[in-house]
Amino acid sequence: MTTVVVVGSGIAGLTAALHAAENGCRVTVVTKGALSDTNTRWAQGGVAAVTDPSDTVASHANDTMTAGAGLNDPAAVNVLVGEGPRRIAELVARGVAFDRAADGDFARGLEAAHAVARVLHAGGDATGAEIQAALGMAVRSAGIVVREHALLRDLVLRNGRVVGVELDGGERLDTDAVILATGGAGQLYAHTTNPAGATGDGIAAALRAGAAVADLEFVQFHPTALAVGAAFLVSEAVRGEGATLVDDAGRRFCFDAHPDGELAPRDVVARANARAMAAQGGRPVRLDATALGPERLGERFPTIDAAVRERGLDWAREPIPVTPAAHYLMGGVVTDLVGQTTVPGLYAVGETARTGVHGANRLASNSLLEGAVFGARAGDAVASGGVWPTGAVSPGTGVSPATGGVSRPTGDAERADANGRAAGAPATGDAPAFSRAALQQLMWAEAGLVRDAAGLARAAGVLAAWSAESAPRSIEDENLLLVATHVVAAARARTVSVGAHFRSDAPDAATSTVLTRAGAAASGAPSPDAAGSPVADAVASGALSPDPVRSPVTGALASGAHSTPDAAGPPVADALPDAARAVAPAFTPAPEEALAC
């Protein structure tokens, strides 16, 4: 029997664990907090998926690639949107009660950069909590071993293959495969919507094992976190319902930056907020939801409503102060379409992984979908053993080929050396004393919403100085320092602005290269869903095909088991409402269906 250790307990990790167990694997879930202490639990906005016959997977794919500035991997996008309906059905079958309209169909919300209303919610703005509870119960019921309050220290390698994990305290769990699902690294920044546990543990461990990483420069900053009290995200869905952003003068400033105003892609809105704040002395901008009224706000957004009122604010009567905050990491550990990394025996899913789905900027509500889709694929794939090409591991991982051992950073991944110093970045002699707060402030100031060469060079120098120190640090602080070094190295290497990576010393490159719906209508140009769109171009080139299982790591088709992820899972079509059942076959769209808009 194949043994699997899943590190992390959000939607991606628990979905992977369930699929692996349903395929006959013996699974252990390791999580550093309680089972429910995850980013997933805090997700408010919902899950984007095609569940309405009037919607198309091509439209969802085009919105995804438009938000990603065309840097998405079209094959990964095809998988995401094509398999999305089945994963929604699976979540329903596992007990997630998505909100329904009066006719019993899904209640669908509109969020920024989506062409149509396709975002599903549960419990109003408690979607993540509902999903976390349902999957947690399913994992417990399946008899999967759960190890709570167990922090990953490192991966264990033997002869270049991952064969286990080492936990804090020295305990070692031997296994046939490890699936990393530890989430992102929001704690790199002074302001973040992420919980305290988002310290990049999986990415750091993968780096030390020699795994390839990519796109770490693409950090998404959510435009609207409450600027009063502890950081708390105010969902994009609030703006989708009609709330607006205003400055001290009451002016809606987002249209200065983009014709879609408050519904522009997140990076655009976040920078518009930052500019407006700078123009008024750093004071927060305000989110005006007063037009929605107290009943609608309380019914549709009960979690946010409670958080706002706990802070002594009444958002039904007056606009509330908000600020941008680090929210989501588009890059991560490079994987193929079934979660395999460049290190044999190691998989990565969810925010830990870089599947290529998000490109330079994630489309709203695609993160939970990615966790469900690629978590299922990894769980199915791990049962078949996985086939890695010879020499997949980066040279010089520092592991004895004879005896194996815990991974140590001695490779050249993402242009950083064994000590985490970025290549060409001399240590700064006047670096401040290391602390997590100092690291977070450095990253916020120099590698945050707006970057330039001088600031990134300063950040690289300070990080190099800290990395060279021998002072003891916690595992989480070591992980943050390593990931920060790679984020800065990647940001320095990408000298143009694109998506969430904005450099003030390359302003012209930041101009949008894709048409918005509003912009297209105003100019008389074709809409983004017409020929010439990212999706149409990808289909025309052959990059966006109906075949979702070709592996860029192995260069070959994955086994047939990967194409039937529901074989051991719950019934899917029966879990869908009547209107959505009709689009379930979009799981593997034919070329002509992919083009139907």
Side-chain angles (χ1 to χ4, degrees):
M1 177 183 290
T2 300
T3 59
V4 181
V5 170
V6 178
V7 187
S9 57
I11 186 172
L14 296 188
T15 299
L18 286 164
H19 274 253
E22 289 160 357
N23 278 287
C25 297
R26 187 166 69 246
V27 182
T28 299
V29 172
V30 173
T31 184
K32 71 178 181 181
L35 187 68
S36 61
D37 290 344
T38 68
N39 274 355
T40 294
R41 182 167 69 95
W42 294 103
Q44 300 170 3
V47 189
V50 176
T51 61
D52 187 332
S54 67
D55 195 5
T56 67
V57 293
S59 175
H60 189 186
N62 189 74
D63 290 345
T64 297
M65 295 183 71
T66 298
L71 296 188
N72 323 61
D73 177 350
V77 173
N78 189 42
V79 167
L80 180 78
V81 301
E83 297 184 16
R86 285 186 179 269
R87 299 285 74 82
I88 293 296
E90 179 180 306
L91 288 170
V92 172
R94 295 201 194 277
V96 178
F98 288 108
D99 297 340
R100 305 280 179 160
D103 62 1
D105 193 5
F106 288 132
R108 302 175 182 87
L110 176 67
E111 293 187 9
H114 284 274
V116 300
R118 64 168 66 94
V119 180
L120 307 184
H121 302 89
D125 59 354
T127 308
E130 295 285 340
I131 291 173
Q132 186 72 48
L135 294 182
M137 185 176 298
V139 163
R140 303 278 193 192
S141 299
I144 293 170
V145 175
V146 177
R147 295 286 305 276
E148 296 178 294
H149 308 289
L151 173 61
L152 173 69
R153 175 174 285 275
D154 247 322
L155 298 166
V156 179
L157 286 88
R158 181 181 299 117
N159 298 325
R161 183 181 182 92
V162 170
V163 295
V165 298
E166 181 188 350
L167 304 180
D168 190 24
E171 182 182 2
R172 175 169 162 169
L173 302 180
D174 295 328
T175 186
D176 295 317
V178 173
I179 302 177
L180 295 175
T182 59
Q187 291 298 321
L188 285 173
Y189 291 93
H191 304 284
T192 180
T193 63
N194 291 186
T199 52
D201 303 332
I203 297 172
L207 280 166
R208 289 190 289 268
V213 298
D215 293 350
L216 291 177
E217 68 271 32
F218 296 128
V219 180
Q220 184 177 87
F221 293 84
H222 199 284
T224 52
L226 279 176
V228 176
F232 187 89
L233 182 146
V234 179
S235 171
E236 199 148 38
V238 177
R239 283 176 281 130
E241 291 284 334
T244 61
L245 287 162
V246 297
D247 59 20
D248 280 353
R251 190 177 71 88
R252 292 177 64 182
F253 55 84
C254 286
F255 286 97
D256 297 342
H258 198 283
D260 287 344
E262 289 89 355
L263 295 182
R266 283 179 175 170
D267 64 301
V268 176
V269 179
R271 287 193 297 272
N273 285 1
R275 282 192 294 269
M277 289 170 62
Q280 57 190 33
R283 292 184 298 281
V285 295
R286 295 185 178 268
L287 181 70
D288 187 352
T290 56
L292 278 65
E295 291 186 6
R296 179 59 176 163
L297 289 172
E299 174 188 354
R300 176 65 179 82
F301 306 108
T303 306
I304 303 173
D305 187 63
V308 168
R309 295 185 184 281
E310 284 173 2
R311 289 160 171 78
L313 304 173
D314 185 353
W315 66 331
R317 299 184 61 183
E318 59 184 4
I320 56 175
V322 293
T323 181
H327 183 56
Y328 191 88
L329 181 61
M330 273 73 73
V333 183
V334 174
T335 72
D336 66 3
L337 300 183
V338 295
Q340 293 180 341
T341 72
T342 55
V343 178
L346 181 64
Y347 295 75
V349 292
E351 194 174 353
T352 303
R354 184 274 184 192
T355 61
V357 158
H358 303 303
N361 198 21
R362 176 174 67 81
L363 179 67
S365 291
N366 267 356
S367 57
L368 290 175
L369 184 67
E370 182 194 24
V373 168
F374 288 93
R377 286 181 144 251
D380 293 333
V382 74
S384 66
V387 178
W388 272 262
T390 302
V393 183
S394 300
T397 55
V399 180
S400 166
T403 63
V406 176
S407 58
R408 293 292 180 253
T410 61
D412 186 38
E414 197 81 357
R415 297 170 297 282
D417 69 13
N419 297 311
R421 289 187 294 264
T428 298
D430 59 348
F434 176 84
S435 67
R436 185 179 297 192
L439 171 65
Q440 292 169 332
Q441 192 55 50
L442 176 73
M443 293 296 289
W444 182 259
E446 309 296 4
L449 282 89
V450 179
R451 306 161 175 178
D452 61 29
L456 290 169
R458 176 180 176 273
V462 172
L463 293 170
W466 286 339
S467 298
E469 296 172 352
S470 58
R473 283 186 280 263
S474 71
I475 298 171
E476 291 178 315
D477 283 351
E478 287 286 1
N479 291 339
L480 285 169
L481 181 55
L482 179 60
V483 175
T485 299
H486 287 265
V487 169
V488 170
R492 295 183 78 192
R494 191 176 290 276
T495 57
V496 298
S497 295
V498 61
H501 173 62
F502 182 83
R503 292 188 56 144
S504 60
D505 50 359
D508 292 339
T511 303
S512 175
T513 57
V514 292
L515 281 170
T516 65
R517 290 181 295 280
S523 66
S527 76
D529 296 325
S533 71
V535 155
D537 292 344
V539 172
S541 70
L544 183 58
S545 73
D547 173 15
V549 295
R550 184 165 295 277
S551 162
V553 170
T554 63
L557 287 176
S559 73
H562 301 165
S563 63
T564 57
D566 296 297
V572 290
D574 291 344
L576 289 168
D578 291 340
R581 190 174 298 125
V583 299
F587 165 59
T588 50
E592 61 270 21
E593 293 171 327
L595 284 168
C597 299

